[in-house]
Amino acid sequence: MNEHKELELKYLTDKSFNIIILLSLLTKNGFSIVNMQNVTNIDIYFDSPDKDLLKKSATLRIRKTNNKYFATFKYPVNKDNNYCERIEIEKEIEEEDFNSLLNIFNDIPYDISNVCPKPTLSIINHRYEIYLKYEDVIIALANDDVTYKKDNEEEHETMIEIEIKEGLNYKLLDNINELIINNLGLIPTKENKYKRGLRLTTSKILSRKKHQ
C-alpha cells in the first residue's frame, strides 16, 4: 500500500484560460518540461448516509484509469496553507469492488464501517498532465475537464491542479501560487472535487425538484 503526503494547488478556470500561457510563465521562471500525457480517470466516491467523510473533508473512492483500479483514501492534515495538504493512501485492486475497498482501509484513523455501498458521486476527468522540473523538484501540472454525476444530474467545469511529485521544496508551491495570482488572476481553491461535485449536483437536483 502506498501512503504519502499530497501537496497541491487548485484553481477553477473558464473558457478563456490558456494552458500555454501558464506553461510559458513557468518556463520563464526556471521550470523545464520533462513529460506530457493524456489520461482519463473515472472516480466513484462512497460515504455514510450522514456524509461523515464529507464533513471531515476526507474522501473514499475507487478510481479506474488505464484499465486498472485503485482504492484511495485521503484526509487533510493542515488547513493553514494556500495549498491543499492531505495524506493519500492508495492501493491497486483487482476490480471495482466495495468490500475490497473497506477491507483495505480497516486500520486508517477514520471509522468507515458505516459507509454505504451505493456511490454518492461519480466523476469523469479528462486530464492533460504536464510534468515539469525545478532544480530537484518535479511537479505535475494537470489541466482537468471534469464532469460530476449524481442521481441523473450532471455538472461540468474545468480546473488546473499543481502537485509536487518529487522533492521537498514546499515553499515552491507558494512561489507558484504568487506567480499565478499576479500574472493570471486565478485564485486558489481548497475545496476537493468530491465536496465540490456533491455541492454542485445536489444544488441542481434541489432546483429541479423545486420546479416540478
Side-chain angles (χ1 to χ4, degrees), residues 134-145:
Y134 181 88
E135 297 178 351
D136 61 344
V137 178
I138 300 292
I139 66 168
L141 166 62
N143 194 23
D144 290 343
D145 188 309

Side-chain angles (χ1 to χ4, degrees), residues 15-16 20 27 29 60 93 109 132 143 167 174 190 206:
K15 293 181 179 180
S16 66
I20 301 301
T27 54
N29 283 274
L60 179 67
I93 56 178
L132 301 104
N143 194 23
D174 288 322
K190 297 175 75 173
L206 292 175

